Coordinates of all heavy atoms in Angstrom, one line a residue:
Q206 N -26.6 47.2 181.9 CA -26.8 46.2 182.8 C -27.4 44.9 182.1 O -27.0 43.7 182.2 CB -27.7 46.5 184.0 CG -27.8 45.4 185.1 CD -28.7 45.8 186.2 OE1 -29.3 46.9 186.2 NE2 -28.7 45.0 187.2
Q207 N -28.4 45.2 181.3 CA -29.1 44.1 180.4 C -28.0 43.5 179.5 O -28.1 42.3 179.3 CB -30.2 44.7 179.7 CG -31.5 45.0 180.4 CD -32.6 45.5 179.5 OE1 -32.2 46.2 178.4 NE2 -33.8 45.4 179.9
A208 N -27.2 44.3 178.8 CA -26.2 43.8 177.9 C -25.3 42.8 178.8 O -24.8 41.8 178.2 CB -25.4 44.9 177.3
Q209 N -24.7 43.2 179.9 CA -24.0 42.4 180.8 C -24.6 41.1 181.1 O -23.9 40.0 181.0 CB -23.5 43.2 182.0 CG -22.4 44.2 181.6 CD -22.1 45.1 182.8 OE1 -22.8 45.1 183.9 NE2 -21.0 45.8 182.8
Q210 N -25.8 41.2 181.5 CA -26.5 40.0 181.8 C -26.6 39.0 180.6 O -26.5 37.8 180.7 CB -27.9 40.2 182.5 CG -27.9 40.9 183.8 CD -29.2 41.3 184.2 OE1 -30.2 41.5 183.4 NE2 -29.4 41.8 185.5
M211 N -26.9 39.6 179.5 CA -27.2 38.8 178.2 C -25.7 38.2 177.9 O -25.7 37.0 177.4 CB -27.7 39.5 177.2 CG -29.2 40.0 177.4 SD -29.8 40.9 176.1 CE -30.8 39.6 175.4
Q212 N -24.7 38.9 178.0 CA -23.5 38.4 177.7 C -23.1 37.3 178.6 O -22.5 36.2 178.0 CB -22.4 39.5 177.8 CG -21.0 39.0 177.4 CD -19.9 40.0 177.6 OE1 -20.1 41.2 178.2 NE2 -18.8 39.9 176.9
S213 N -23.3 37.4 179.8 CA -23.0 36.3 180.8 C -23.9 35.0 180.5 O -23.3 34.0 180.4 CB -23.3 36.8 182.2 OG -23.1 35.8 183.2
K214 N -25.1 35.3 180.1 CA -26.0 34.1 179.7 C -25.4 33.4 178.5 O -25.4 32.1 178.4 CB -27.4 34.6 179.6 CG -28.3 33.6 179.1 CD -29.8 34.0 178.9 CE -30.7 33.0 178.4 NZ -31.9 33.4 177.8
M215 N -25.1 34.3 177.5 CA -24.6 33.7 176.3 C -23.3 32.9 176.4 O -23.0 31.8 175.8 CB -24.4 34.8 175.2 CG -25.6 35.3 174.6 SD -25.4 36.7 173.4 CE -24.2 36.0 172.3
Q216 N -22.4 33.4 177.3 CA -21.2 32.7 177.6 C -21.4 31.3 178.3 O -20.7 30.4 177.9 CB -20.2 33.6 178.5 CG -19.5 34.7 177.7 CD -18.8 35.6 178.6 OE1 -19.0 35.7 179.8 NE2 -18.0 36.4 178.0
S286 N -30.4 36.6 168.4 CA -31.5 36.4 169.3 C -31.4 37.4 170.4 O -32.4 38.1 170.8 CB -31.6 35.0 169.9 OG -32.5 34.9 170.9
A287 N -30.2 37.6 171.0 CA -30.0 38.6 172.1 C -30.3 40.0 171.6 O -31.0 40.8 172.3 CB -28.5 38.5 172.6
A288 N -29.9 40.3 170.4 CA -30.1 41.8 169.9 C -31.6 41.9 169.7 O -32.1 43.0 170.1 CB -29.4 41.9 168.6
G289 N -32.3 40.9 169.2 CA -33.8 41.0 169.1 C -34.5 41.2 170.4 O -35.4 42.0 170.5
N290 N -34.0 40.5 171.4 CA -34.5 40.6 172.8 C -34.4 41.9 173.4 O -35.1 42.3 174.3 CB -34.0 39.5 173.7 CG -34.5 38.1 173.3 OD1 -35.5 38.0 172.6 ND2 -33.8 37.1 173.8
M291 N -33.2 42.5 173.1 CA -33.0 44.0 173.6 C -33.7 45.0 172.7 O -33.5 46.2 173.0 CB -31.4 44.2 173.6 CG -30.8 43.4 174.6 SD -29.0 43.8 174.8 CE -29.1 45.5 175.3

Side-chain angles (χ1 to χ4, degrees):
Q206 184 179 13
Q207 283 180 333
Q209 288 173 341
Q210 289 172 348
M211 292 182 104
Q212 181 181 16
S213 177
K214 180 183 174 194
M215 285 176 57
Q216 287 173 341
S286 175
N290 290 340
M291 288 184 66

